[in-house]
Amino acid sequence: MKTRDQFPTKLCAVCGRVITWRKKWERDWENVKYCGDKCRRAGLTSTDALLEQGILSLLATGAASICPSQAARQVAPDNWQPLMEPARQAARRLVAAGRILIL
């Protein structure tokens, strides 16, 4: 019998969290892209792309580390607080793509 860490995994296209294979997805595993209904409904937006670009541009300036709030402030200087979780999700997607590290 396989243990949980012996099953294949992939990352959610929206939030970057790990999705672990389940029996109910056996015939459709290659089409599984989202961790749940919330991410499926949300999808990727232009704001998500802007947040990813903001993170990369901040790191390109030579900063050793940044806070997600800095990227959120770049995208929406006057209303950045609602972008905090999307900024974290953007960072997780960049980690999954091998472009940055989160420590």
Side-chain angles (χ1 to χ4, degrees):
M1 176 178 255
K2 286 186 176 184
T3 62
R4 187 166 177 86
D5 35 327
Q6 291 175 317
F7 288 108
T9 60
K10 56 174 68 175
L11 299 173
C12 177
V14 174
C15 69
R17 290 190 173 99
V18 175
I19 304 169
T20 304
W21 183 88
R22 296 181 187 170
K23 178 71 174 166
K24 69 179 183 177
W25 293 331
E26 185 171 28
R27 284 186 263 142
D28 202 33
W29 176 242
E30 61 277 350
N31 295 321
V32 174
K33 293 179 175 59
Y34 308 105
C35 63
D37 291 336
K38 182 179 177 184
C39 286
R40 185 178 298 105
R41 281 190 303 270
L44 289 174
T45 65
S46 58
T47 302
D48 294 321
L50 289 172
L51 288 166
E52 287 182 17
Q53 290 171 359
I55 291 168
L56 292 173
S57 69
L58 286 166
L59 291 171
T61 63
S65 65
I66 63 162
C67 177
S69 66
Q70 292 173 282
R73 283 184 175 106
Q74 272 190 341
V75 173
D78 297 328
N79 191 23
W80 59 271
Q81 291 91 345
L83 294 179
M84 284 302 296
E85 184 54 30
R88 290 183 193 102
Q89 292 174 350
R92 286 193 295 266
R93 285 191 302 274
L94 290 170
V95 167
R99 300 190 68 191
I100 66 169
L101 292 175
I102 295 178
L103 303 175

